[in-house]
Amino acid sequence: MDKHDFTALYEQWFALHPFKKRDWVELGKVHYQAFSRESVALMIEALGQLTEEIDNFPSPKQIRAKLNQLSSSKTEGGEVKTNVTSHNETLATRLLEHIHGIEYQGKAVKRPEGIPHWVSELVESVNNQLPDDCPMNVRLARVGLAVAQGER
């Protein structure tokens, strides 16, 4: 994107912080060097969200953090990513806790509903491979890892 189009992305910020417009000759060089290769849509989104979140003119660090947040939460098509691994890991760890009779605040963990068959089999397999005296945190870690690897 050229410098004129890039500068236009910051117009809302110049309206809020007019004194930054005079500093833009130097400040703009830093921002342009850091963000000129970013997607225009992503920059508009990031700068728009930052207007609602911060009161000062955004630093390159704040913009980069927002761009990274937006990039990791959306796919290229703009749809929100879903983290299936996280859901299946949660089901697997709850199942493992249920099998071992773990209690939270005096209540036993219930067997979760809707567990995919492969997750149940994986939990049983990993659980049976570990020795009886294996600590629960190690069991949970092994089950989580196995689920993550199984979904690749």
Side-chain angles (χ1 to χ4, degrees), residues 20-138:
K20 288 294 184 180
K21 182 74 170 173
R22 71 165 192 257
D23 299 337
W24 189 248
V25 174
E26 294 302 316
L27 192 59
K29 290 177 187 175
V30 173
H31 282 253
Y32 186 76
Q33 186 176 12
F35 306 115
S36 62
R37 293 190 182 123
E38 295 293 335
S39 142
V40 174
L42 202 57
M43 280 295 292
I44 290 170
E45 176 99 11
L47 290 170
Q49 286 187 18
L50 285 170
T51 344
E52 298 172 5
E53 295 173 9
I54 61 174
D55 294 327
N56 56 325
F57 196 82
S59 69
K61 182 178 179 180
Q62 290 169 314
I63 295 170
R64 176 60 60 206
K66 181 55 72 176
L67 287 169
N68 289 342
Q69 178 190 359
L70 291 170
S71 294
S72 68
S73 68
K74 293 190 176 180
T75 63
E76 287 182 23
E79 302 109 27
V80 175
K81 287 183 183 177
T82 56
N83 189 344
V84 176
T85 302
S86 176
H87 179 67
N88 286 334
E89 282 182 64
T90 301
L91 291 174
T93 56
R94 293 299 168 262
L95 177 59
L96 185 66
E97 290 171 337
H98 171 76
I99 291 169
H100 285 273
I102 301 296
E103 294 183 356
Y104 290 107
Q105 298 177 347
K107 294 183 180 182
V109 175
K110 295 181 181 176
R111 181 181 174 86
E113 296 178 14
I115 303 172
H117 184 66
W118 70 271
V119 173
S120 296
E121 287 182 345
L122 195 72
V123 170
E124 289 285 333
S125 172
V126 170
N127 192 39
N128 291 336
Q129 290 174 12
L130 296 171
D132 291 339
D133 62 345
C134 183
M136 191 62 183
N137 62 341
V138 173

